[in-house]
Amino acid sequence: MTLAHQQRGEQPSLQVIPGNTRRPRTKISHWVVFALAVTIAFFGLIYSRISLDHSAFEIQELEEQIAIQEELHWQLRYELAQIQDPALLEGQIADLGMIYPDQRVALSVPVVSIDELDPDYRWAQLEAILSAQP
Amino acid sequence: MLRPTWRVRDLRVALVGVVFILAWLGIGYRLFQVQVVEAATFVADGENQRIRVEDIAAKRGTIFDRDGIELAITVDMPTVIADPSLVFDPEGTAQVLAPLVGATVAELVEKLDRPDARFAYVAKHITSDQEEQLQSAMDAVAECRGGDDPSTCPSDFDGIYLRTEPYRVYPSGDLAAQILGFIQQDTQEGLEGLEAHYNDVLTGTPGTQILERDPEGNPIPLGELQVEPAIAGVDIRTTIDPQVQYVAQQAAAEAVADTHAASATIVVLNPRTGEILAMATAPTFDPNDRQSIDPAAVRNRAVTDVYEPGSTAKVITVAAALDQGLITPQDAWWVPAEYEVDGKEEPYTDVKRSEGRKMSVAEIITKSSNVGTIMIQEQLGNELHYQYLEAFGLGNISGDSIPGEVPGLLRPVRDWVSATAGASTAIGYRMDVTALQMAAVFGTIANDGVWVQPHLVAELIHPDGSLEVTVPSQRPVLQRETARQMRGLLNAVVEHGTGHRAAVPGYSVGGKTGTTEKFIFEEGVYSENDRIASFIGIAPINDPEIVIAVVLDSPHGEIEEDGSTVELKFGGVSAAPVFARVAETALQALGVTPNGQ
């Protein structure tokens, strides 16, 4: 009710109903959050894509390394087999001055009797050998 | 000047509008055509440019000896290839490449000077040193092109590429060459030996990959990639002992050199397991050097070539009669110098014996008496004789693991109609055998009368690690006591008989000599000069570990021995010493303790 209305003793035709005194919330923050989220998602997508590409290159490089190592593995197996060639070994042995003996003597070792396995008997034998030494 | 009325202006605007509309309609139509109507075609064209379907070669299986050392292995070797259509200066490129790949300029010009061709091999399987030199030269050119003035860079390597290709190598050269065989390097297909016999399992299953490549041919990371991996070939572990094989090959080569024989064949067998420890043939070849291979040297004569076993087959006749209880080693009777059989113009005789005398069974074997053996066969009869020959494995192949093996020839007993059939068969004629079959016969005697299937492959090793182990078949042929008696007789052959040159210092051995006239198949007659000399023995005779068969084809010449001249055509003279040499080294290599005999 205005002052004029009061002076004139008039009753207001419209009644003012006290409303919410708070200022209406601005919608801008939603947009900021949304824009921020979109931006983060955008850069996140780019970053993940770059990471993925990076990983792909790393995987490719590792695969190449695996292939190289595998090739090396087979080469080494080949070389290992080569150096075990009997003909090569024979040549190297000859270079070291070793020869295959042209005469061999087979030693016939007499069968050991049960008595000879007895510790006392063996100790007696050993004593005899030791006492015979100067 | 008359100003255009609004109607005219509207008309112009309308006209421009129509033009724009038509233009947009045209663009829209084209877009529709490209994006909808011909979309599939353009997608396919794009994929054809980027996406490649490539085969993944399966690694060929490795062949090992019994100790797991590679005898045949596939490695990736650098190879230089060219796209001749991109080689602008063939002469200049050839001059640069020639010293790097070890070829002549003329050879390279011939390969490169073909403007219409898209592919040529410049140099196959170059060495790693050559690869390094070539790669650094190519890198230098690439670096130059990435520099400030690429126009000054040489174009030496335009259209030249370096790549790896699978290459089959045999690390031990000619070791077991006839057993292993070789492959066609371009197709990786086995042509001879185990390589051919087991080609299907060694080859494996190729895989496929679908992937995107950039214009340079490099794979695009994160591009399309579908891989169906290749399944590697099966590995083969053979029964070959490298040391025994080596000494057998050396002995065979020396035998050929010493006796002027056309060829020498040696088989070393483990009689208990049937494992073939060595099969050597001289002359031999190096499968790494395909250019110098003599086709005649490729055959594994131990299983592909047949011969009449001669006196070594007397062992079967005598063993059968002993096994049947018809004779004992001590039995003795009068053996005439000549023995006539109906239907044969010339009587059967013994070598170096002109008068008849009483001989025991032991003497018949130790002196290798033809007449005595024929008389034993008469007691045995054709039917039983044939049964034993068959039981000993003659006339049949040993199994399916040995490449190129032939069954030989053992005529069915119903065909033994002539009076001489039994007599001739008794002394090792009228049938064809392989050296391996005869080794298995002596293996049966060594193994207490049980024939064990000779085999070359110990196991197949599948890519998933599973093993397919060879289990040789066995069958009893002789009683244990008969086999023991036969070993005694064979020992006597070496101690007192025709096989004395087979004696091995430190070991007691036994065996039988054999000398037969060589049958010339092309002419259908026996050779007057050529002989097949053989010796098949067991060592050590009291506890057998190995059986060795030595067969020399047409040895010639003479040697002086103890003041007399002896002819090398006899098995006891030429083949027995070869046995001794192989046995001595093989027994030591296998760790067999000398028995002091």
Side-chain angles (χ1 to χ4, degrees), chain A residues 49 52-53 56-57 60 71 74-75 77-78 81-82 84-87 90 100 104 106, chain B residues 59 62 64 69-70 73 75-76 169 171-172 219 221-222 242 246 250 506 584-585 588:
Chain A
R49 182 71 200 185
L52 210 59
D53 281 352
F57 277 110
Q60 193 184 17
E71 199 179 316
W74 287 99
Q75 283 287 353
R77 277 180 67 171
Y78 172 42
Q82 267 184 320
Q84 292 180 81
D85 174 18
E90 192 183 48
Y100 199 82
R104 280 163 292 280
Chain B
K59 189 101 184 166
T62 303
F64 299 100
I69 298 170
E70 291 85 351
I73 186 172
V75 293
D76 286 333
V169 285
S172 298
L222 289 180
Y246 178 65
Q250 273 197 323
E584 185 177 13
T585 315
Q588 288 176 11

Side-chain angles (χ1 to χ4, degrees), chain B residues 314-333 335 359-365 372-381 384 388 479 481-482 485-486 489:
Chain B
K314 290 173 185 168
V315 166
I316 301 174
T317 313
V318 174
L322 283 171
D323 204 50
Q324 288 294 314
L326 300 172
I327 54 171
T328 67
Q330 295 76 33
D331 286 352
W333 60 86
V335 178
M359 295 177 84
S360 67
V361 170
E363 271 186 296
I364 286 169
I365 279 289
T373 310
I374 291 168
M375 294 171 82
I376 292 172
Q377 199 275 343
E378 284 181 346
Q379 291 187 57
L380 184 66
L384 273 175
Y388 276 93
Q479 297 171 59
E481 180 57 21
T482 308
Q485 288 174 338
M486 284 306 299
L489 293 176

